[in-house]
Amino acid sequence: MITDIADKVYAGQRITIEDAGCLYAHHNLAELGMLAHWARLQKYPEQVVTYNVGRNINYTNVCWVKCDFCAFYRAPGSDEGYVLPHEQIFAKIDELVAFGGDEPKSCEILMQGGLNPKLRLDYYEDLLSQIRDRFPQVQLHCLSATEIIYIAHLSKLPLDETIRRLHEAGLDSIPGAGAEILNDEVRDIIGFRKDRTEQWLEVHRVAHALGMRTTATMMYGHVETVEHRLEHFDLLRKLQDERGGFTAFITWNFQPDHTDLGADAERWHGAKATGYDHLRTVAVARLFLDNFDSFQASWVTQGPKIAQVSLRYGVNDFGSTMLEENVVSAAGTSHTTEMNLGMMERLIRDAGFDPQRRNTRYDRVATPCRIDALPKPVHS
Ligand code: SF4
C-alpha cells in the first residue's frame, strides 16, 4: 500500500526494494509524484530549480565495443571515424566560455567518446592538462567508466593509478555514462563487450576514494525488467552509502533509431518508454535513492514538456544547457533544437520555480550568461 510506504518516507525511514516495487506498480502517478516531490523538498526546500552551463564534446567516435544500443560509434577503420584535433576542441570550449563567463569552474565540459584503440593515457593526460591550463573557467567532467577502464587496460596500468593520473592532469569529475542497467545478464544482451557491473561500480568507488565526485545514470526501456531497474537502484544506493561521492542521478530511456537493438524488435521491448514510465521511474528513483541529493531532468530524450513535468516528480535540476549533443541525436532524438537558455528558464518558471545557475558541484554561480555570445546548438 502506498500509504504504508508514504508513512515510512514521511518518518525519514529508508524504503526497501519491495516497497520500490510497490511504488512502480502504483498506477496513480499523481500520488507517486506528490510523495517524490515531498522527498525532494527535504533536500532542497527552496522553490528553485538549478541548471548548468555546459557543452558535450565527443572527441572521438571510434569504438570497437559496438554496443547494440549505440548509434554514435564507428568501428576502427571506418571512413566516418574521427578524432577531433586539439584546436577544434579548444575552439568549442572558447565558444562555451564566451557564453558562460569567466568564473572559475563555472562551465562544464562533458567530454566523452568511444573506446579508440589508438588513444592511450598519454593522449588524455596531454589533452586534459592543456584544457585545464587554458580554461580555468571549465570543469572537466569527462570520460565514462567504460573509457577509463579501457585506458587503464591499453596503458597496462592499475585502475586507481589511471584515475589518479587523469585527475592530476585535470580531470575534475566523472560522468555516470556507461551504467546502462547494472546487471550482467542485461549487459550481455545489449552490449556484451562492455565492462561488467562490478567494474563500473569500481571506477566510481575508486574516484570517490580519491575525493572526486561523479554522477550516476540509468538507461532503461530496452530489454530490462522493473526488477533489473530496482537492482540497479540498490547497487547505487549501497555505493553511495560508502562515501557519498555521487552528486546526482540522471535517467533516460533507450533511443532505438539507427541501432542494432532497435532494429531487432524481438530482442527489446519494441516501443520507446512512455512519458508515464519516465515520470514513474524518476519518482521511484527519488524515493529509493534517499542518499542522493540531486536528480536531473532528461530533456534531451524526454523533450522539454516531460522534463518540465518531472520537476514535480522528484527532479530538482534541469541539467545542462548542452550547447552540443551528438550521441542521442545519432539515435534519432534531437530536442536540442528546441532548447535554449531562455526556454529552459521559462519552463522552470512556468512550473513554479526560480531558475538558478549552478556549477558541476552544485554550488550556485552568480555570473550571468552572455546570450549574445551564444553559438547555435550543434548536433550532427
Ligand atoms: S555506447 Fe560507448 S562503448 Fe558502446 S559502442 Fe557506443 S561509444 Fe562504444
Side-chain angles (χ1 to χ4, degrees):
M1 289 283 289
I2 191 170
T3 48
D4 295 335
I5 300 168
D7 286 345
K8 275 191 182 178
V9 172
Y10 294 141
Q13 292 171 12
R14 180 159 270 192
I15 66 169
T16 64
I17 291 189
E18 291 72 29
D19 293 334
C22 288
L23 293 175
Y24 247 112
H26 187 73
H27 286 291
N28 189 327
L29 192 59
E31 287 180 357
L32 193 54
M34 284 171 64
L35 194 56
H37 189 59
W38 184 90
R40 173 255 204 246
L41 289 175
Q42 307 317 298
K43 303 273 188 186
Y44 290 99
E46 294 175 310
Q47 295 293 317
V48 165
V49 167
T50 48
Y51 63 87
N52 190 15
V53 170
R55 176 172 201 154
N56 288 15
I57 296 179
N58 302 112
Y59 61 95
T60 183
N61 67 345
V62 176
C63 188
W64 62 270
V65 180
K66 303 178 190 172
C67 296
D68 286 354
F69 59 86
C70 179
F72 167 72
Y73 78 86
R74 294 295 178 271
S78 164
D79 291 344
E80 296 176 359
Y82 70 75
V83 178
L84 293 182
H86 283 18
E87 290 307 323
Q88 203 170 330
I89 293 174
F90 301 153
K92 288 173 184 285
I93 303 175
D94 273 332
E95 286 185 343
L96 176 69
V97 168
F99 172 58
D102 283 332
E103 201 171 316
K105 302 286 180 195
S106 61
C107 306
E108 178 182 285
I109 288 293
L110 200 165
M111 191 163 64
Q112 298 181 136
L115 271 56
N116 186 329
K118 293 199 170 151
L119 304 180
R120 289 167 194 257
L121 182 59
D122 56 347
Y123 164 85
Y124 294 94
E125 287 181 312
D126 175 57
L127 177 58
L128 291 168
S129 59
Q130 286 203 47
I131 297 173
R132 176 198 59 199
D133 295 346
R134 282 175 183 234
F135 300 102
Q137 311 91 334
V138 162
Q139 167 99 5
L140 281 162
H141 184 59
C142 310
L143 305 177
S144 65
T146 311
E147 290 163 275
I148 291 172
I149 291 163
Y150 188 57
I151 295 166
H153 168 76
L154 269 186
S155 309
K156 299 186 172 50
L157 287 171
L159 186 62
D160 55 353
E161 188 179 339
T162 304
I163 298 176
R164 183 182 52 72
R165 282 178 57 172
L166 291 168
H167 188 38
E168 285 171 2
L171 181 66
D172 294 305
S173 50
I174 296 173
E180 327 310 357
I181 290 286
L182 293 170
N183 173 282
D184 286 345
E185 287 174 14
V186 171
R187 297 172 91 75
D188 282 343
I189 299 170
I190 65 173
F192 69 91
R193 298 180 194 86
K194 203 157 197 169
D195 46 286
R196 304 290 80 193
T197 294
E198 186 46 46
Q199 290 177 293
W200 186 94
L201 293 167
E202 185 62 12
V203 169
H204 290 265
R205 186 178 287 118
V206 169
H208 297 170
L210 289 169
M212 298 172 74
R213 308 302 298 274
T214 73
T215 55
T217 66
M218 179 175 80
M219 184 191 70
Y220 67 93
H222 36 89
V223 306
E224 88 293 346
T225 62
V226 166
E227 287 68 33
H228 289 131
R229 298 185 197 181
L230 298 178
E231 183 183 333
H232 183 105
F233 292 159
D234 193 42
L235 289 167
L236 294 179
R237 189 167 76 173
K238 284 180 175 146
L239 183 52
Q240 182 74 330
D241 276 341
E242 292 179 21
R243 289 182 190 267
F246 290 120
T247 52
F249 176 74
I250 311 116
T251 187
W252 62 87
N253 66 306
F254 168 52
Q255 305 299 315
D257 291 1
H258 315 300
T259 69
D260 289 346
L261 185 60
D264 185 352
E266 287 184 9
R267 199 157 37 120
W268 73 296
H269 299 157
K272 277 192 192 182
T274 60
Y276 184 105
D277 194 10
H278 184 75
L279 295 172
R280 186 174 65 152
T281 298
V282 291
V284 175
R286 166 60 86 179
L287 291 163
F288 188 82
L289 297 174
D290 55 3
N291 49 7
F292 279 65
D293 289 341
S294 274
F295 289 70
Q296 288 185 17
S298 300
W299 60 264
V300 177
T301 52
Q302 299 305 315
K305 291 178 181 173
I306 291 288
Q308 182 191 35
V309 174
S310 73
L311 300 179
R312 295 280 166 182
Y313 285 78
V315 168
N316 63 288
D317 184 90
F318 225 81
S320 166
T321 53
M322 217 171 280
L323 304 190
E324 176 174 358
E325 200 291 319
N326 302 300
V327 176
V328 173
S329 307
T333 301
S334 55
H335 289 294
T336 44
T337 53
E338 302 161 55
M339 188 63 78
N340 55 43
L341 184 58
M343 165 71 98
M344 193 178 275
E345 293 199 337
R346 178 174 170 242
L347 290 165
I348 293 169
R349 283 204 180 89
D350 198 46
F353 302 96
D354 289 328
Q356 169 68 56
R357 181 177 169 188
R358 61 153 175 98
N359 62 20
T360 308
R361 296 183 72 95
Y362 285 80
D363 301 321
R364 303 283 164 95
V365 174
T367 308
C369 295
R370 295 185 219 135
I371 305 285
D372 54 331
L374 187 64
K376 294 231 176 305
V378 180
H379 58 100
S380 53

